[in-house]
Amino acid sequence: MRKIVITTEFVKLQDLLKLAGLVETGGEAKERIQAGEARVNGETCVQRGKKIRPGDVVEFAGRRIGAAYAS
């Protein structure tokens, strides 16, 4: 699983997908999330603003990603 380092309390799902390079734009993220292509902690998520915190697991486009605080 790939970890994306964040410096805030959480990152929005659409922003995590952009940071991970899985989507090109926020518009693409919005469309694909609302189409039910993203799963958060094993459940389909259609909220592009879903708060992702360290420990959450996002599945998208056959990849697993998560957030981690900078150490």
Side-chain angles (χ1 to χ4, degrees), residues 19-38:
L19 289 170
L22 299 177
V23 295
E24 296 286 322
T25 65
E28 179 186 356
K30 174 183 175 181
E31 288 178 14
R32 295 184 67 183
I33 292 167
Q34 289 180 338
E37 294 183 37

Side-chain angles (χ1 to χ4, degrees), residues 15 23 44 49 69:
D15 296 331
V23 295
T44 301
Y69 292 129

Side-chain angles (χ1 to χ4, degrees), residues 1-18:
M1 178 171 70
R2 181 174 172 203
K3 295 281 187 175
I4 303 298
V5 176
I6 61 172
T7 58
T8 57
E9 180 184 350
F10 63 87
V11 63
K12 292 181 182 177
L13 176 58
Q14 69 177 10
D15 296 331
L16 183 70
L17 297 181
K18 288 191 296 186

Side-chain angles (χ1 to χ4, degrees), residues 1-2 17 20-22 39 57-65:
M1 178 171 70
R2 181 174 172 203
L17 297 181
L22 299 177
R39 295 175 61 86
V57 176
V58 175
E59 298 173 61
F60 184 83
R63 299 214 172 99
R64 291 169 47 100
I65 55 175

Side-chain angles (χ1 to χ4, degrees), residues 32-54:
R32 295 184 67 183
I33 292 167
Q34 289 180 338
E37 294 183 37
R39 295 175 61 86
V40 177
N41 299 326
E43 296 185 16
T44 301
C45 180
V46 294
Q47 300 170 320
R48 63 187 175 141
K50 172 80 173 162
K51 295 176 181 177
I52 306 299
R53 293 181 168 86

